Amino acid sequence: MTGRSIRGADALAGALVRAGVRQVFSLSGNHVMPVFDALLEVGIGIVHTRHEAAAVHMADAWARLTGEPGIALVTGGPGHANALSALYTALMAESPVVLLSGHAPLGQLGMGSFQEMRQAELAAPLTKAAWTSSEAGALAADLARATRIARSGRPGPVNLNLPTDLLEAAVSAQGLPDAVAFGPAAMPLGATAAAALSARLQRAARPLILVGPGCMTAGRRTAALQDATGIPVVGMESPRGIQDPSLGAFGEVLALADCVLLLGKRLDFTLRFGKAPAWRADCALLQIDADEAEFERTRRAAGSRLEGTAAADAVSAIDALLDCAAAGRAAHAAWRAEVRDAIARRPAGWAAAASARPGRLHPLQALRPLQELLDVHPDSVLVSDGGEFGQWAQACLTAPHRVINGVAGAIGAALPFAIAARLARPAGAVIAVLGDGTFGFHAAEIDTAVRYGLPFVAVVGNDARWNAEYQIQLRDYGAQRLIGCELLPTRYDQVTAGFGGYGEQVCDPVSMALAARRAMDCGLPACVNVMIEGVAAPVPAPRQARVAPGERGVAHGGSA
């Protein structure tokens, strides 16, 4: 910035550097042009997307995969409004995203300024905090505050609105916040509380530790916690909760547990609100949470079964629990093995699953060949999005890193997720598994991937319908009451090729492995459009079933 006057935008860019930001995901617009100009000066990379929601989804995936704050930058008014829906996915995934939104000039508010909108009020229900900067000299401090809030306690998105007159105003070049100001505020678990909670868990016959989405990037810590305590630690980030296909028959062992520690995990619909028959009626609950309001919510659902609470962020709590881990870890060895086996369980019939329809594949036939590609590199990423096809992927595929649509249950983010994954994990395979309906939300981001040279493989399960909704209607209303579920059998591989990527269509299982390999090796954003039979999502295997030879079980986020 030498030799130039310092604008609010320059101070903001300097603060982004101080925060350790490497990438900004953005779509240009009038209100943020000063920020674009300032970012050029400091050398922060900008991925320029085709839709504002895609920019937020990319920032979300970046945050989940790196643990750094994900920064999305959009223009004001309609640009801000377009970005909002993606904030809900980030909020429910507990992802530290900062949405920087351009804003009408403060000096023109109430006068009918261009694209004037009450932006912070719109974003508030979808964020941990949302506000509009009110002083040019405070822009850097506002960014530090936004980043800290996003990363502290239970992580989540924050919206900071940037009026254009503040971005263009002259400010002092001195006084950027120190790097520590951008980090999370400490919320540790005290040693006494950690010891008491640990002792209660160790006294139980069948204890469990359940961690929420915010811990999914702390996989090594959760594995260490399980090893140190001997107690199964299970990560939960799916809207299907205890029916999460990647957790196999976890519901069976949850119903046997006599003491459960909710470690940053809400007692919500994903856990059937702690009620029988999903839970033992006398199962004791312990809870560690950064948001003390969660204790009252658990108390409303579980009453006196909530035996102990402690306010702390989940990652700090894991460290405190590790410090006081009991020495008698063998006490729960049999129970730990039972939980591990339940999560790994898959129906034996999956090994022979095949479609009876000519020219169609069963989802398992489409997905099995992908595991070999994911296994090649220790930094590979599996992105899974969509309804039934995505659930099959989560049930039968595993990778060192996984990004799914999460507790929000919203679909459509797979292609933006994959682009951010390629940036965050440049060496590993990036495979995005998505339904045909999902592809349509952000198809134009193939153009973004081509422009920036970010290759990945999108495997589209094409059953020419919104299959999750189809299955619900079929079950609840009958075959004569199906409506609004039909799609065309579109050639999504050709759509991808039209944007400059690589595409193949697969209609038989013999071709699948070679097509996936060619897509992986082409060096371009690639789409394998697989014509599948529209079957329902997988359900847990009965207790007597075990994983068939050659089948893989997945316990994502917890190493039980």
Side-chain angles (χ1 to χ4, degrees), residues 388-389 463 465-472 485 533-537:
E388 310 303 85
F389 190 58
D463 54 14
R465 67 188 184 205
W466 299 101
N467 194 34
E469 288 68 26
Y470 176 94
Q471 297 296 335
I472 292 170
C485 300
E533 183 177 0
V535 298

Side-chain angles (χ1 to χ4, degrees), residues 496-524:
T496 300
F499 279 116
Y502 175 84
E504 283 196 47
Q505 174 153 286
V506 172
C507 299
D508 68 87
V510 175
S511 305
M512 184 63 209
L514 288 175
R517 171 56 65 184
R518 286 190 291 268
M520 181 67 69
D521 293 342
C522 73
L524 294 168

Side-chain angles (χ1 to χ4, degrees), residues 198-272:
S198 293
R200 176 64 184 91
L201 282 169
Q202 292 295 343
R203 290 197 303 271
R206 296 185 180 90
L208 289 173
I209 300 173
L210 305 184
V211 300
C215 286
M216 304 313 261
T217 55
R220 290 188 180 89
R221 275 192 173 96
T222 55
L225 180 62
Q226 178 173 267
D227 290 342
T229 63
I231 295 171
V233 179
V234 181
M236 302 190 72
E237 62 174 344
S238 168
R240 305 208 179 194
I242 61 175
Q243 295 290 104
D244 177 357
S246 70
L247 295 181
F250 170 67
E252 288 186 8
V253 289
L254 176 63
L256 299 174
D258 59 352
C259 184
V260 173
L261 170 61
L262 302 172
L263 179 48
K265 174 72 186 89
R266 291 183 169 108
L267 188 68
D268 58 10
F269 73 99
T270 64
L271 288 173
R272 309 286 174 86

Side-chain angles (χ1 to χ4, degrees), residues 193-415:
L197 293 167
S198 293
R200 176 64 184 91
L201 282 169
Q202 292 295 343
R203 290 197 303 271
R206 296 185 180 90
L208 289 173
I209 300 173
L210 305 184
V211 300
C215 286
M216 304 313 261
T217 55
R220 290 188 180 89
R221 275 192 173 96
T222 55
L225 180 62
Q226 178 173 267
D227 290 342
T229 63
I231 295 171
V233 179
V234 181
M236 302 190 72
E237 62 174 344
S238 168
R240 305 208 179 194
I242 61 175
Q243 295 290 104
D244 177 357
S246 70
L247 295 181
F250 170 67
E252 288 186 8
V253 289
L254 176 63
L256 299 174
D258 59 352
C259 184
V260 173
L261 170 61
L262 302 172
L263 179 48
K265 174 72 186 89
R266 291 183 169 108
L267 188 68
D268 58 10
F269 73 99
T270 64
L271 288 173
R272 309 286 174 86
F273 306 102
K275 306 291 188 183
W279 293 65
R280 277 177 48 161
D282 62 348
C283 179
L285 286 168
L286 310 172
Q287 188 166 22
I288 301 171
D289 207 281
D291 184 355
E292 295 192 39
E294 291 299 325
F295 303 148
E296 179 55 34
R297 184 156 73 168
T298 300
R299 217 170 263 114
R300 289 201 306 270
S304 61
R305 290 166 51 209
L306 181 59
E307 294 186 4
T309 64
D313 71 84
V315 173
S316 297
I318 290 173
D319 291 341
L321 292 170
L322 284 170
D323 287 342
C324 66
R329 295 191 297 272
H332 299 107
W335 167 241
R336 180 175 169 178
E338 185 175 356
V339 174
R340 181 188 63 239
D341 291 347
I343 289 175
R345 194 181 308 150
R346 302 293 185 271
W350 281 16
S355 174
R357 292 184 58 188
R360 299 276 177 158
L361 283 69
H362 187 281
L364 287 172
Q365 293 176 298
L367 295 166
R368 277 198 202 97
L370 305 180
Q371 189 62 59
E372 181 179 350
L373 303 180
L374 290 167
D375 287 343
V376 167
H377 196 280
D379 244 3
S380 292
V381 182
L382 170 66
V383 173
S384 177
D385 186 16
E388 310 303 85
F389 190 58
Q391 302 307 309
W392 282 104
Q394 291 167 43
C396 74
L397 296 176
T398 184
H401 307 284
R402 187 181 81 159
V403 183
I404 70 170
N405 51 350
V407 180
I411 66 171
L415 298 178

Side-chain angles (χ1 to χ4, degrees), residues 4-309:
R4 299 181 58 195
S5 62
I6 303 302
R7 305 160 296 175
D10 298 312
L12 181 75
L16 287 167
V17 172
R18 190 68 61 87
V21 171
R22 294 180 282 157
Q23 295 284 344
V24 169
F25 303 94
S26 184
L27 201 160
S28 62
N30 293 27
H31 295 109
V32 293
M33 288 297 95
V35 183
F36 269 55
D37 182 61
L39 290 177
L40 282 174
E41 199 70 24
V42 299
I44 292 177
I46 305 174
V47 175
H48 192 177
T49 68
R50 295 291 300 269
H51 194 281
E52 290 87 356
V56 175
H57 286 314
M58 291 180 197
D60 177 6
W62 175 272
R64 293 196 225 176
L65 288 166
T66 66
E68 302 171 7
I71 308 296
L73 172 66
V74 304
T75 195
H80 173 78
N82 280 346
L84 293 180
S85 63
L87 288 175
Y88 182 66
T89 295
L91 179 69
M92 299 305 289
E94 301 174 9
S95 184
V97 169
V98 177
L99 171 62
L100 300 175
S101 299
H103 192 279
L106 288 183
Q108 297 177 5
L109 294 186
M111 300 171 64
S113 182
F114 176 60
Q115 295 184 341
E116 182 178 341
M117 187 181 288
R118 294 161 68 177
Q119 294 181 187
E121 293 172 64
L122 287 171
L126 303 171
T127 57
K128 292 180 68 178
W131 72 94
T132 301
S133 289
S134 59
E135 183 182 345
L139 284 168
D142 278 341
L143 178 72
R145 177 187 168 206
T147 304
R148 170 160 283 211
I149 292 172
R151 301 178 72 185
S152 297
R154 171 176 277 108
V158 172
N159 170 228
L160 174 61
N161 296 282
L162 309 169
T164 55
D165 49 355
L166 302 190
L167 294 173
E168 293 171 342
V171 300
S172 171
Q174 306 301 314
L176 284 179
D178 293 334
V180 69
F182 299 89
M187 195 173 182
L189 178 64
T192 301
L197 293 167
S198 293
R200 176 64 184 91
L201 282 169
Q202 292 295 343
R203 290 197 303 271
R206 296 185 180 90
L208 289 173
I209 300 173
L210 305 184
V211 300
C215 286
M216 304 313 261
T217 55
R220 290 188 180 89
R221 275 192 173 96
T222 55
L225 180 62
Q226 178 173 267
D227 290 342
T229 63
I231 295 171
V233 179
V234 181
M236 302 190 72
E237 62 174 344
S238 168
R240 305 208 179 194
I242 61 175
Q243 295 290 104
D244 177 357
S246 70
L247 295 181
F250 170 67
E252 288 186 8
V253 289
L254 176 63
L256 299 174
D258 59 352
C259 184
V260 173
L261 170 61
L262 302 172
L263 179 48
K265 174 72 186 89
R266 291 183 169 108
L267 188 68
D268 58 10
F269 73 99
T270 64
L271 288 173
R272 309 286 174 86
F273 306 102
K275 306 291 188 183
W279 293 65
R280 277 177 48 161
D282 62 348
C283 179
L285 286 168
L286 310 172
Q287 188 166 22
I288 301 171
D289 207 281
D291 184 355
E292 295 192 39
E294 291 299 325
F295 303 148
E296 179 55 34
R297 184 156 73 168
T298 300
R299 217 170 263 114
R300 289 201 306 270
S304 61
R305 290 166 51 209
L306 181 59
E307 294 186 4
T309 64

